Amino acid sequence: MSEHVDHEKIQQAVTMILEAVGEDPNREGLLDTPKRVARMYAEIFEGLHQDPKEHFKTVFGEDHEELVLVKDITFHSVCEHHLVPFFGKVHIGYIPKGGQVTGLSKMARAVEAVTKRPQLQERITSTLADSIVETLTPLGVIVIVEAEHMCMTMRGVRKPGAKTVTSAVRGAFQKSEAARAEVMALIRDHG
């Protein structure tokens, strides 16, 4: 998705930042840094031009109306407030309706589409849940995101290891405490 990124503008901005912090952008170790940063931004922000719902349009007919859980989907994103990374795991559970199931890899692809852009963890969580509801119309959806934010660990309060957990529940998971408890137990089960 590099065609959507203005590499030249990023290179100019990185050069200006290096100068602004007192560095010499012509120093040997920094000569190619603006180009590398431009390529990196093209890669880590490629989700800006993707719709996560596209990944849920492929469905399979399967007589299954019980929980489907894909857990520990790793992700890396960038905090839109400080433009520093945050990373962690996403757990997605849904109860198919009418036997409409999606491919398991589609969950991971949707996570990539949502996280590869300047983001907020809360938005990642709700966007994934809403995308599944809108495309698969399941009986219920639950999305839990656990992440460590570099804006809290490398600057500011400097608390490495602190995790932020967000959740979005829709349908059956909103209505049933037992259904939510089942998912949480399965997520915690590392065996």
Side-chain angles (χ1 to χ4, degrees):
M1 294 294 171
S2 185
E3 70 271 4
H4 297 289
V5 174
D6 187 337
H7 287 256
E8 185 61 37
K9 191 178 276 189
I10 293 171
Q11 290 174 39
Q12 292 169 2
V14 171
T15 300
M16 290 173 63
I17 290 169
L18 290 170
E19 291 170 346
V21 299
E23 259 294 359
D24 175 8
N26 295 311
R27 184 167 60 79
E28 182 182 0
L30 295 175
L31 281 175
D32 290 331
T33 296
K35 289 178 185 171
R36 286 190 293 266
V37 172
R39 285 192 307 268
M40 176 191 69
Y41 279 178
E43 180 182 340
I44 67 175
F45 294 142
E46 68 186 0
L48 279 167
H49 309 287
Q50 298 176 16
D51 181 353
K53 290 180 247 171
E54 289 298 314
H55 298 290
F56 299 124
K57 289 188 175 177
T58 300
V59 294
F60 306 98
E62 184 62 39
D63 187 23
H64 185 83
E65 288 192 354
E66 300 292 330
L67 174 66
V68 175
L69 174 65
V70 180
K71 65 181 194 174
D72 296 332
I73 303 168
T74 59
F75 77 93
H76 295 85
S77 194
V78 175
C79 167
E80 69 181 36
H81 294 153
H82 298 99
L83 293 180
V84 294
F86 67 101
F87 57 93
K89 294 182 179 182
V90 177
H91 315 287
I92 301 173
Y94 76 104
I95 301 171
K97 179 179 179 183
Q100 294 294 309
V101 299
T102 190
L104 300 177
S105 68
K106 302 304 183 189
M107 300 292 179
R109 292 186 194 284
V111 168
E112 289 292 301
V114 173
T115 59
K116 288 190 173 272
R117 56 183 77 179
Q119 255 312 1
L120 297 175
Q121 181 173 334
E122 297 86 346
R123 188 181 307 127
I124 290 170
T125 312
S126 60
T127 299
L128 286 167
D130 293 341
S131 295
I132 294 168
V133 167
E134 290 171 26
T135 54
L136 298 177
T137 61
L139 297 171
V141 173
I142 185 167
V143 176
I144 298 168
V145 179
E146 305 173 66
E148 184 170 338
H149 293 251
M150 298 304 286
C151 58
M152 273 188 58
T153 63
M154 68 184 279
R155 59 157 303 279
V157 296
R158 294 187 177 117
K159 298 297 177 201
K163 294 264 170 70
T164 300
V165 178
T166 52
S167 68
V169 293
R170 308 288 188 264
F173 293 106
Q174 268 181 320
K175 298 173 185 137
S176 171
E177 188 176 321
R180 286 191 307 276
E182 175 188 7
V183 171
M184 295 308 292
L186 289 169
I187 290 170
R188 282 191 301 269
D189 179 21
H190 296 290

